[in-house]
Amino acid sequence: MNHKVLKILIIGLMAALSYIAFTFMQIKIPTPAGMTSFHLGNTFCVLAALLLGGLPGGAAGAIGMGIGDLLDPTYVIVAPKTIILKLGIGIITGLVAHKVMHIQNKEGKELRRAVFISAFSGMLFNVIGEPIFSYFYTTVILGAPDKAAKALASWNAITTGTNAIIAVIVSSLVYLAIAPRLKNNGVLKKLSPKE
């Protein structure tokens, strides 16, 4: 199979998994300025970035969770924010994984460390960016009162931190479980971005 076709298929798969994990494995929390939630959607955005690189990984998360927002009446107004943040998660994770840590060239303990640092970097971006971006998006774009926007940002900080911990652990474990098999059959080399 052509490596470009394989990448597109993996992006689609990860987008679908992001959508499913976000939509159906979610605990919604209402706040005065909108909804926030605990969910597993970021896990597949990070996993896609580890497998494919930053932009494809970010695209998978942005597509999957963006569609999740667009199809949910409580989240539809924040879909642009979601798309931007998930794209950022993927870009940061992929940049660290493939350009800084070079995970495609590591094995054993070095690989585990590099994968964890890469996943952590992408989710750290989200932990910092989500509450800040959410506050400004809620006040400037949606016109919510300052007090309500601060309440939403506070709740977002809590849920985003929890989601980040779960995403780092699960995506790292899944990548480490499938990477040796993908490497042995040559698929990982086809998926990984060129250095």
Side-chain angles (χ1 to χ4, degrees):
M1 179 182 291
N2 181 311
H3 76 281
K4 289 182 181 179
V5 173
L6 182 61
K7 274 191 172 187
I8 291 169
L9 290 172
I10 301 293
I11 291 169
L13 174 66
M14 292 297 149
L17 290 171
S18 288
Y19 168 78
I20 290 166
F22 173 72
T23 304
F24 301 109
M25 304 169 113
Q26 174 185 134
I27 300 169
K28 290 184 181 180
I29 300 168
T31 72
M35 295 292 259
T36 188
S37 66
F38 294 109
H39 64 83
L40 298 173
N42 295 330
T43 301
F44 297 101
C45 180
V46 172
L47 181 59
L50 292 171
L51 289 168
L52 305 170
L55 193 54
I63 292 166
M65 287 179 273
I67 290 171
D69 277 0
L70 290 170
L71 296 178
D72 186 332
T74 58
Y75 288 123
V76 70
I77 60 173
V78 296
K81 176 182 72 97
T82 296
I83 291 166
I84 292 166
L85 286 168
K86 301 322 168 190
L87 189 60
I89 291 170
I91 289 171
I92 299 296
T93 301
L95 177 72
V96 173
H98 297 283
K99 302 298 182 189
V100 177
M101 302 302 292
H102 305 283
I103 64 172
Q104 59 274 24
N105 301 327
K106 298 200 182 314
E107 292 183 7
K109 188 176 181 179
E110 282 187 8
L111 177 63
R112 289 189 296 275
R113 183 176 158 270
V115 166
F116 177 80
I117 289 170
S118 302
F120 179 82
S121 299
M123 292 314 302
L124 180 61
F125 161 80
N126 199 51
V127 165
I128 294 168
E130 172 70 37
I132 294 169
F133 195 50
S134 180
Y135 172 77
F136 286 107
Y137 187 85
T138 305
T139 56
V140 175
I141 304 294
L142 301 180
D146 185 62
K147 193 172 184 177
K150 285 180 181 175
L152 178 60
S154 297
W155 273 103
N156 274 346
I158 295 166
T159 57
T160 301
T162 303
N163 294 341
I165 293 167
I166 294 167
V168 169
I169 293 168
V170 175
S171 63
S172 295
L173 290 174
V174 171
Y175 180 85
L176 292 168
I178 65 174
R181 289 158 188 81
L182 294 175
K183 192 173 190 175
N184 286 343
N185 63 26
V187 173
L188 194 58
K189 187 173 183 174
K190 290 179 186 175
L191 293 177
S192 295
K194 304 293 182 244
E195 289 194 39

